[in-house]
C-alpha cells in the first residue's frame, strides 16, 4: 500500500499539516500516521473515512482508484483562482507535449 502512503503524505503536506497535527485531529498517535505513510499499516474503513473528511479528499484518490482530486478555490480572489487554473492548464499542456 505504498501508493496510499505516498498520496496521504502529499495531501497532508499540501494542507500544511505535520504528522502530529494530523494525528491530533484523527485522534491517533503520530506513529500511526507515520506507519500509514510508510505503508507499514493501513487504516480501517472508519478511519479512512475520517482521513478523507479531515483532508477533504476522496478515498478513491487515496486508494489509487482515481487520479482526480477536487480542489476548492474558495478563499482565493478571482485573480488568484484564475492564476491557479492557468497553472494547471500549463501542466496539462506540458504532459501532452511530453507523451
Amino acid at each position: 500500500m505504498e501508493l496510499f502512503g505516498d498520496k496521504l503524505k502529499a495531501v497532508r503536506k499540501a494542507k500544511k499539516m505535520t504528522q502530529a497535527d494530523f494525528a491530533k485531529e484523527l485522534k491517533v498517535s503520530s506513529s500511526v500516521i507515520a506507519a500509514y505513510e510508510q505503508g507499514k499499516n493501513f487504516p480501517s474503513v472508519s478511519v479512512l473515512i475520517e482521513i478523507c473528511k479531515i483532508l477533504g479528499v476522496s478515498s478513491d484518490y487515496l486508494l489509487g482508484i482515481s487520479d482526480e482530486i477536487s480542489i476548492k478555490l474558495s478563499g482565493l480572489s478571482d485573480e488568484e483562482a484564475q492564476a491557479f487554473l492557468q497553472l494547471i492548464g500549463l501542466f496539462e499542456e506540458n504532459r501532452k507535449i511530453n507523451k
Side-chain angles (χ1 to χ4, degrees), residues 7-83:
K7 287 189 172 197
L8 177 63
K9 183 176 183 177
V11 173
R12 175 184 57 78
K13 285 186 168 192
K15 300 284 183 177
K16 302 208 183 303
M17 296 177 79
T18 65
Q19 284 184 341
D21 295 334
F22 185 48
K24 187 175 180 179
E25 269 199 67
L26 194 57
K27 298 179 178 80
V28 298
S29 69
S30 294
S31 62
V32 169
I33 302 302
Y36 292 162
E37 291 182 357
Q38 294 168 9
K40 294 180 180 178
N41 203 349
F42 191 76
S44 66
V45 172
S46 61
V47 173
L48 178 61
I49 290 168
E50 283 304 307
I51 288 171
C52 294
K53 286 178 184 177
I54 292 167
L55 297 178
V57 68
S58 74
S59 59
D60 284 357
Y61 177 76
L62 289 177
L63 296 172
I65 296 168
S66 169
D67 286 335
E68 293 183 18
I69 187 167
S70 64
I71 299 170
K72 295 180 183 176
L73 300 178
S74 60
L76 297 179
S77 69
D78 289 342
E79 293 82 17
E80 290 169 331
Q82 187 64 29

